[in-house]
Structure formats: structure tokens, C-alpha cells
Amino acid sequence: MDTLTRVRASCLRLPEAGERMSHGSPTFFVRAKKSFAVYVDGGYHEPGPTLWCPAPEGVQEELIDTEPERFFVPPYVGHSGWIGVRLDVDADWDEIDAIIRDGYRRVAPKKLVAQLD
């Protein structure tokens, strides 16, 4: 399964999640309003596919400090605490799924987040 297919499956299984192109990349939204994941297939100074998601406070810095070869500050949204994940570097799909779910929890209404628990 290719990386976009795996990301898409993880994102679209979440309550009221949808997908549309935004700024040239597949982007995943809650109720077609707030984005919680962006799949970028190369570009922005990254040679391979990446995933961008909002992260809980402090997680961005911790992941980048611990594993800079896998994680980075994505352009445009990084200043808001989003994390970039290099999907072509030792991808741990259980961890990537958790990152997607954390991103969803950051932007989804409480009623939808409660459905995850």
C-alpha cells in the first residue's frame, strides 16, 4: 500500500472526516472546515512524501529534538505547533496513525473527539 493510501485510510476512518485538495495537496478536514492532516508528496525542501499534523503542546519540539531525521517543522503551519513527518524514513505506521488521531483531537469538536474514546 502506498503512503497516500495509508494516510487516507487513517484519516477517513475518523468521525466526519473528509478530504479535498488544498494548496495542491490532499488535505483532511473535520466537517469540511478545519484541517487536521496534509499529505505533501515531495516539495517544500523535502525530497519524499511527508505528513503535516497539528501536535499537542510541546510534542513538536520533543519529536524534532529526539528524531530530527524523521520529524521537522513544516512551513506555513509549523509556527502553530504542527509537526512534519517524513514518511520515507523508517515509517512506523502505528505511530503515524497516533499522530493523525492527535491532530484530529486538536481541531475536532468535543462531541466528535468523544467518539474516539
Side-chain angles (χ1 to χ4, degrees):
M1 189 180 319
D2 72 9
T3 55
L4 176 57
T5 302
R6 291 184 89 153
V7 166
R8 182 177 283 132
S10 289
C11 291
L12 295 180
R13 77 171 59 114
L14 299 169
E16 297 189 41
E19 175 185 357
R20 71 174 182 269
M21 294 296 283
S22 180
H23 300 88
S25 296
T27 304
F28 300 89
F29 294 83
V30 178
R31 293 184 173 165
K33 294 179 184 175
K34 291 187 173 187
S35 62
F36 67 92
V38 180
Y39 178 88
V40 180
D41 193 8
Y44 300 104
H45 306 290
E46 293 294 330
T50 61
L51 174 68
W52 305 356
C53 293
E57 191 172 327
V59 170
Q60 180 197 64
E61 184 177 335
E62 176 184 337
L63 290 175
I64 292 168
D65 286 349
T66 304
E67 296 184 77
E69 66 283 351
R70 289 184 55 216
F71 300 102
F72 64 98
V73 177
Y76 308 110
V77 293
H79 69 277
S80 296
W82 284 51
I83 188 73
V85 183
R86 294 180 181 98
L87 300 175
D88 60 347
V89 177
D90 194 26
D92 176 342
W93 287 98
D94 289 333
E95 180 181 43
I96 292 166
D97 187 59
I99 289 168
I100 290 169
R101 291 172 68 86
D102 284 346
Y104 179 89
R105 288 176 188 279
R106 299 284 296 166
V107 301
K110 289 179 185 176
K111 183 178 179 180
L112 294 181
V113 171
Q115 293 179 33
L116 298 178
D117 299 326

